[in-house]
């Protein structure tokens, strides 16, 4: 079945460092891809999305490019802040099937220190 | 703007007890979802309701029942709680059940079964 694999955390960075969180997927056809963020004590929020190959999603300085050839959707940010500390989830919606079914990766915890 | 509201935020139950988790959204969304979040596993869909009056099983429905009380409210019931149901439960909603509609999440209910 369709699945999402993320790099294990925690990822610990200093403020202003470059961030990459790897995400790869297994799916038939062309799924839609998402990154969600969960701040401590809160629910998930949609960070960005891409619905077709080579699309780049971006928001709040974060970017991710839908790479069909490598089945990847890596999350990047050029300069992280302490306020970016959170858990980041990569997710997909399968190409087949008629409803809004999100399949999540296990999540990657990011800790940014001053 | 409340968004998706879940009650209670925390609950401890004994094995065999029953409980209903409540969820309400004020965004006039048609579709609602219940997920559980377990360490190292991301979020998994328990049940969803594409529209008022309909409910369908997700990935892990065993041991749960749901009720779409009206357009705003979608409750999750544990009839006989088991320790394996210890988890954080999230409710979400989206404009419709069509693919790629952003899902808006509540802050979660942390449930412990002793």
């Amino acid at each position: 079945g369709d699945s999402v694999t993320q790099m294990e955390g925690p990822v610990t960075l200093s403020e202003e460092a470059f961030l990459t969180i790897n995400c790869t997927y297994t799916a038939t056809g062309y799924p839609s891809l998402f990154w969600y963020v969960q701040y401590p004590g809160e629910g998930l929020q949609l960070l960005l999305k891409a619905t077709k190959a080579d699309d780049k999603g971006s928001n709040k300085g974060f970017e991710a490019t839908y790479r069909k050839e490598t089945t990847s959707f890596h999350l990047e940010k050029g300069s992280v802040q302490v306020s970016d500390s959170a858990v980041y989830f990569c997710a997909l919606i399968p190409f087949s099937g008629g409803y809004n079914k999100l399949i999540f990766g296990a999540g990657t915890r990011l800790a940014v220190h001053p | 703007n409340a968004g998706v509201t879940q009650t209670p935020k925390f609950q401890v139950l004994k094995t065999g007890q029953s409980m209903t988790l409540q969820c309400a959204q004020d965004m006039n969304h048609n579709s609602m979802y219940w997920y559980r979040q377990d360490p190292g596993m991301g979020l998994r869909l328990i049940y969803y309701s594409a529209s008022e009056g309909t409910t369908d099983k997700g990935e892990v429905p065993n041991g749960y029942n749901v009720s779409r009380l009206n357009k705003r409210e979608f409750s999750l019931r544990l009839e006989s709680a088991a320790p394996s149901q210890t988890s954080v439960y999230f409710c979400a909603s989206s404009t419709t059940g069509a693919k790629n509609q952003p899902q808006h999440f509540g802050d979660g209910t942390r449930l412990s079964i002793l």
Side-chain angles (χ1 to χ4, degrees):
Chain A
D2 297 344
S3 64
V4 176
T5 302
Q6 293 180 234
M7 64 187 289
E8 288 191 22
V11 174
T12 303
L13 295 173
S14 298
E15 206 165 23
E16 299 184 0
F18 185 86
L19 168 71
T20 299
I21 299 178
N22 290 337
C23 170
T24 57
Y25 67 88
T26 301
T28 56
Y30 291 83
S32 297
L33 302 175
F34 303 81
W35 277 101
Y36 277 81
V37 58
Q38 183 181 29
Y39 298 104
E42 298 182 9
L44 280 70
Q45 303 174 25
L46 178 63
L47 182 59
L48 53 84
K49 69 177 184 180
T51 57
K52 59 182 188 293
D54 300 324
D55 266 3
K56 177 185 283 188
S58 61
N59 186 25
K60 299 180 181 180
F62 291 89
E63 294 183 341
T65 300
Y66 189 144
R67 301 289 187 198
K68 178 67 173 173
E69 63 276 13
T70 54
T71 62
S72 65
F73 193 55
H74 304 321
L75 183 68
E76 296 181 337
K77 187 176 185 184
S79 177
V80 294
Q81 305 301 311
V82 172
S83 58
D84 293 326
S85 298
V87 181
Y88 292 81
F89 292 91
C90 186
L92 66 82
I93 292 180
F95 179 71
S96 61
Y99 78 97
N100 207 17
K101 174 185 178 181
L102 276 167
I103 296 173
F104 287 91
T108 301
R109 184 176 299 278
L110 170 65
V112 180
H113 298 288
Chain B
N1 205 2
V4 178
T5 302
Q6 293 183 235
T7 55
K9 293 191 182 303
F10 303 93
Q11 185 69 48
V12 179
L13 296 178
K14 295 181 179 178
T15 298
Q17 287 185 316
S18 62
M19 166 125 197
T20 300
L21 308 186
Q22 306 289 351
C23 175
Q25 52 89 11
D26 63 1
M27 297 174 283
N28 200 35
H29 285 173
N30 288 299
S31 300
M32 298 184 74
Y33 313 80
W34 275 106
Y35 293 88
R36 59 178 289 171
Q37 182 182 27
D38 300 299
M41 300 188 71
L43 278 74
R44 292 179 292 168
L45 183 66
I46 304 171
Y47 271 92
Y48 70 101
S49 171
S51 61
E52 186 179 356
T54 69
T55 61
D56 286 284
K57 295 178 180 179
E59 182 183 357
V60 288
N62 290 345
Y64 306 95
N65 287 301
V66 290
S67 296
R68 183 74 183 266
L69 304 170
N70 47 56
K71 190 172 184 178
R72 290 187 63 248
E73 298 173 288
F74 187 39
S75 62
L76 178 72
R77 183 161 178 84
L78 288 69
E79 289 290 352
S80 179
S84 61
Q85 295 177 304
T86 293
S87 188
V88 182
Y89 291 85
F90 287 98
C91 179
S93 69
S94 62
T95 306
T96 71
K99 289 168 64 172
N100 302 332
Q101 292 293 317
Q103 293 186 24
H104 300 261
F105 287 80
D107 289 345
T109 295
R110 186 174 297 274
L111 184 61
S112 295
I113 316 295
L114 305 178

